[in-house]
Amino acid sequence: PFDLTEAFGEAWCVTMTSLPVEETLHHMGVPVVTELPDGLRQVSQRLADAASSRDRAALLLAKPASGTTMVLELEGLRGWIGSDADVLAALSAPDGIACSIMSDPNQSEAMVARAGRVQAGLDTLTGRPWGTLGDDLIRSLGHLGFRAAPGDDAFAVPDQWNSSQCAALVLQATTGVRLTTQHCSDPWVGGLSRRPDLG
């Protein structure tokens, strides 16, 4: 599985939804969507300037990805927009599915929303779930190496993968999209999200 931490460091969030790219970004607080052929460089520059900047926005990068829309966030100082329950619920409405995986130095987690509400999450460090994963997702996770003993309240995460790779596997189990280098490379579309602080 793709290693997001190797690619982007310890702090990142990837959100996938069946909604079109522009609609997805509007739900995530981006009023103006533009072409960003060098989006990763722009985010890197913003991160380098963050200490001296008073800018309260975050630059979101998005692209079509195997029949879904993928949004990459690397500016998480004020909270990951994709991990906000209201945002993720909106990205799964009216009858779709949305998934966010996120990491910072203290946690690695996946969240799943269906048909307008957040249903479940999984800590990809400990394998501990919350909410209702559903039989289909549990089966898909099992095919990818996550094992749950009957009556146990946690999965045994595949020990050959790190938490970043396990998060990518949860995203794959939920959306059917197997992340690759191409998914996570330039070019992008996107823009500045002016959503209020989430963290």
Side-chain angles (χ1 to χ4, degrees):
F2 189 76
D3 190 336
L4 287 148
T5 297
E6 182 178 322
F8 301 120
E10 293 183 318
W12 46 263
C13 179
V14 173
T15 303
M16 285 200 176
T17 172
S18 56
L19 296 179
V21 171
E22 194 157 328
E23 184 179 353
T24 297
L25 288 169
H26 287 166
H27 278 299
M28 298 181 78
V30 178
V32 179
V33 178
T34 60
E35 300 285 333
L36 298 171
D38 61 345
L40 291 175
R41 184 197 62 77
Q42 290 188 45
V43 172
S44 293
Q45 187 61 53
R46 287 176 58 80
L47 289 169
D49 295 342
S52 59
S53 173
R54 295 185 178 189
D55 188 355
R56 304 300 287 174
L59 183 61
L60 304 190
L61 307 179
K63 64 171 61 175
S66 307
T68 68
T69 291
M70 170 182 165
V71 180
L72 174 65
E73 297 176 66
L74 299 175
E75 298 177 68
L77 292 176
R78 289 171 288 279
W80 301 118
I81 296 166
S83 71
D84 178 73
D86 290 339
V87 171
L88 197 61
L91 294 178
S92 71
D95 56 4
I97 189 165
C99 180
S100 282
I101 56 174
M102 75 260 354
S103 172
D104 62 35
N106 301 313
Q107 66 176 0
S108 179
E109 186 178 30
M111 293 173 58
V112 180
R114 285 190 179 91
R117 71 181 186 89
V118 175
Q119 285 194 320
L122 180 69
D123 184 319
T124 62
L125 286 168
T126 66
R128 193 162 303 283
W130 54 265
T132 305
L133 291 173
D135 292 342
D136 289 347
L137 181 51
I138 290 172
R139 213 167 14 252
S140 295
L141 288 169
H143 290 313
L144 293 172
F146 292 80
R147 299 291 175 225
D152 196 357
D153 62 351
F155 286 88
V157 297
D159 56 13
Q160 69 268 42
W161 310 124
N162 64 31
S163 61
S164 163
Q165 292 169 305
C166 287
L169 288 173
V170 176
L171 189 73
Q172 181 179 340
T174 304
T175 66
V177 177
R178 185 175 185 271
L179 284 182
T180 65
T181 302
Q182 185 175 0
H183 289 127
C184 298
S185 303
D186 288 333
W188 306 84
V189 299
L192 293 174
S193 171
R194 304 276 178 192
R195 285 183 58 85
D197 291 1
L198 298 171

